[in-house]
Amino acid sequence: MKYSCQKGTKDILPEEVYKWQKAESAFAEICGQYGYKEIRIPTFEQTDLFLRSVGDTTDVVQKEMYTFEDKGGRSITLRPEGTAGVVRSFVENGMSSLPSPVRLFYNITAFRYEKMQKGRYREFHQFGVEAFGAEGPAIDAEIISILVAFFERMGLKKTKLCINSIGCPTCRAEYNKILKDYFRPHLSEMCEDCQSRFEKNPLRMIDCKEEKCGAIAAKAPRLIDYLCDDCKAHFEGLKANLEALGISYEIDSGIVRGLDYYTRTVFEFKSENVGSQGTICGGGRYDGLVSEIGGQPTPGIGFAMGAERFLLEMEAQGIEIEKDQKVQLYIANLSPETQIEAQKLAFGLRKQGIGCEIDLMGRSFRAQMKYAGKTGIPFLLVLGDEEISSGKAKLKAMADGTEKEIELSGIADAIRSWNA
Ligand code: ATP
Ligand code: MG
């Protein structure tokens, strides 16, 4: 029987894992520079947490969750995103007593039962941040600037920041009435989902992916024109903050975000590269979420970036991520005796910080040379009986073929000072 990985999942093989490592470490480093601390949350939570926070009229909850009953009869769901779990942890661990804002970041896998496409998987990765306790728009701009800094560090260009405000429960209640008046005469032409959203959550109808609904939604009244004074001031504050940081943006009133918990600021980074996979990252403010799941009322804001989409976008824009060469020296050896000596030498060199590879297969000298040439390892040393008895060997730089005779005890120094 042959096994293959499940639809919508994939292996990240050694030849591409370095890209992931670079992106992960750049993201962690930038978050660290901003004072965000990493949090690691469980892969699964009780289903109710997601119903409560993500919202039961959303596509994620209605169609995409991996939900199952465990052997103890509990309803369990593999996390479809990170915010719910982080907020649960914030409340459960009493983090509201920490100095505000509480700044957190994460790097997680997430699971959604979706139709497979390029950039859309059933298991995918999100890099995200969540910040709790700050109400003003400065923190909105701060988290957006983390993404700008990250893209810049990785060399990604051609991204477009789109911002919008979806108001607070007060302005939304008013707007929902206006929106329903607009959609009512079109309702019979719209999809089944929109018909059920009409009563429960008409805002959801704005970003319906069905073409016929999209055409109707495009002409709907815009929430941004009906914001209450406080929400308007918050949005103006965000714009001023972004302008001060030199971050350009567009206002896109069509962004309402797929999850229910958002209030006020919502934003996305989209690709401006033709033929790309659209949205790289989405985020927003969720001032009601902490209290919704049982904590003290605490404002919050966050984003999640799809790591696969980010890497696809890097590729689409032709931006290469540099490969680290962790192994610096290849030690060729020609007999069982020299292999043991090579292994001893390599063991010691690695402790001195020099990555080494040796042949363990008893390959011929030629085969070892060919292999060493292919790996891109920058230095080569041949260890034969003579080298072992004399304690000296030739160290060769593969780039230009130059050789130096050195003491076997001085290999690490010789490599370090080669170009000095
Ligand atoms: P989309 O509109 O593409 O379905 P979404 O609104 O469902 O996105 P979010 O819930 O905001 O996405 O998740 C944040 C980010 O995670 C997205 O911008 C995207 O980059 C990534 N993402 C979401 N779903 C998937 C998926 N199934 N596969 C890969 N990446 C995903
Ligand atoms: Mg989606």
Side-chain angles (χ1 to χ4, degrees):
M1 174 160 182
K2 270 195 182 154
Y3 295 104
S4 53
C5 71
Q6 289 296 296
K7 202 166 164 183
T9 68
K10 61 189 164 38
D11 302 311
I12 303 170
L13 297 172
E15 60 260 28
E16 55 172 346
V17 88
Y18 72 93
K19 298 180 189 169
W20 287 82
Q21 291 169 335
K22 275 274 159 69
E24 286 162 4
S25 63
F27 186 71
E29 196 186 309
I30 289 167
C31 287
Q33 286 183 330
Y34 277 80
Y36 284 68
K37 299 212 165 68
E38 185 175 356
I39 182 166
R40 300 189 183 190
I41 50 167
T43 309
F44 57 85
E45 302 272 356
Q46 71 184 89
T47 301
D48 186 54
L49 174 70
F50 299 113
L51 302 186
R52 239 355 215 311
S53 58
V54 176
D56 52 12
T57 60
T58 58
D59 275 358
V60 170
V61 165
Q62 287 188 339
K63 302 175 189 163
E64 299 170 2
M65 293 212 303
Y66 275 93
T67 298
F68 60 95
E69 196 172 278
D70 74 2
K71 289 192 165 53
R74 303 169 193 89
S75 181
I76 298 292
T77 295
L78 302 184
R79 60 186 174 209
E81 50 98 61
T83 304
V86 173
V87 173
R88 193 251 328 120
S89 176
F90 177 86
V91 174
E92 186 175 348
N93 294 293
M95 286 189 234
S96 58
S97 64
L98 298 173
S100 285
V102 175
R103 295 176 164 110
L104 304 170
F105 81 91
Y106 58 79
N107 167 9
I108 60 166
T109 47
F111 305 85
R112 297 186 190 178
Y113 191 77
E114 300 209 66
K115 243 201 217 129
M116 263 288 292
Q117 297 167 25
K118 191 176 175 200
R120 193 176 293 285
Y121 310 98
R122 292 183 174 174
E123 180 182 20
F124 59 101
H125 297 74
Q126 289 186 331
F127 297 173
V129 310
E130 314 292 349
F132 299 92
E135 205 164 8
I139 196 125
D140 307 26
E142 176 173 284
I143 69 161
I144 289 172
S145 78
I146 290 179
L147 285 158
V148 172
F150 173 71
F151 294 151
E152 212 174 284
R153 173 85 58 99
M154 297 299 294
L156 189 71
K157 298 180 187 83
K158 296 187 199 160
T159 58
K160 180 168 73 172
L161 167 64
C162 297
I163 61 170
N164 189 26
S165 174
I166 56 169
C168 62
T170 317
C171 33
R172 216 135 72 185
E174 201 49 43
Y175 172 73
N176 276 349
K177 284 188 212 147
I178 295 162
L179 201 57
K180 283 169 86 173
D181 288 343
Y182 170 79
F183 279 125
R184 196 169 289 111
H186 300 287
L187 207 52
S188 58
E189 305 154 49
M190 300 184 78
C191 74
E192 239 172 72
D193 285 339
C194 278
Q195 297 191 5
S196 79
R197 289 169 186 143
F198 181 79
E199 285 306 333
K200 288 195 225 148
N201 193 350
L203 190 61
R204 277 278 73 76
M205 298 167 79
I206 298 274
D207 70 345
C208 180
K209 305 240 158 51
E210 291 276 333
E211 211 173 303
K212 56 183 178 185
C213 304
I216 297 166
K219 298 195 188 103
R222 306 173 336 149
L223 177 42
I224 195 137
D225 298 326
Y226 296 89
L227 295 178
C228 68
D229 289 346
D230 287 348
C231 288
K232 222 181 269 172
H234 188 96
F235 196 54
E236 290 308 314
L238 169 63
K239 292 196 285 187
N241 264 279
L242 291 175
E243 280 153 29
L245 294 174
I247 296 173
S248 47
Y249 59 85
E250 262 175 38
I251 296 171
D252 179 348
S253 60
I255 301 178
V256 295
R257 310 282 308 123
L259 317 176
D260 265 359
Y261 48 60
Y262 289 107
T263 50
R264 292 189 169 167
T265 305
V266 285
F267 64 91
E268 290 181 353
F269 275 87
K270 296 182 180 168
S271 168
E272 282 194 305
N273 200 38
V274 257
S276 288
Q277 211 38 40
T279 311
I280 303 165
C281 171
R285 184 166 272 284
Y286 45 79
D287 291 342
L289 183 57
V290 175
S291 57
E292 176 69 29
I293 69 163
Q296 293 297 319
T298 310
I301 183 162
F303 68 71
M305 186 193 72
E308 285 81 359
R309 292 224 192 139
F310 166 75
L311 290 172
L312 277 171
E313 190 55 32
M314 291 282 285
E315 213 178 288
Q317 294 189 20
I319 297 150
E320 289 201 8
I321 297 176
E322 211 182 304
K323 225 177 202 162
D324 280 340
Q325 178 57 267
K326 296 213 164 74
V327 177
Q328 287 161 281
L329 177 67
Y330 185 84
I331 305 176
N333 60 90
L334 298 168
S335 65
E337 296 74 39
T338 55
Q339 186 191 84
I340 288 187
E341 289 304 318
Q343 204 165 20
K344 269 166 58 186
L345 198 57
F347 191 51
L349 282 168
R350 293 184 198 113
K351 288 187 214 170
Q352 296 174 61
I354 304 291
C356 296
E357 233 185 270
I358 66 169
D359 180 70
L360 298 176
M361 304 302 290
R363 284 195 187 91
S364 72
F365 183 67
R366 260 189 68 174
Q368 290 188 50
M369 290 300 109
K370 206 169 147 196
Y371 172 81
K374 263 199 248 167
T375 55
I377 298 174
F379 291 96
L380 171 83
L381 185 132
V382 179
L383 199 67
D385 295 333
E386 209 183 299
E387 283 78 10
I388 293 166
S389 60
S390 70
K392 286 184 180 159
K394 282 195 180 118
L395 181 66
K396 181 173 170 180
M398 299 296 272
D400 57 7
T402 50
E403 287 184 333
K404 280 183 196 166
E405 179 149 278
I406 57 158
E407 303 276 335
L408 289 180
S409 57
I411 297 175
D413 287 342
I415 288 177
R416 283 202 194 95
S417 61
W418 190 268
N419 289 317

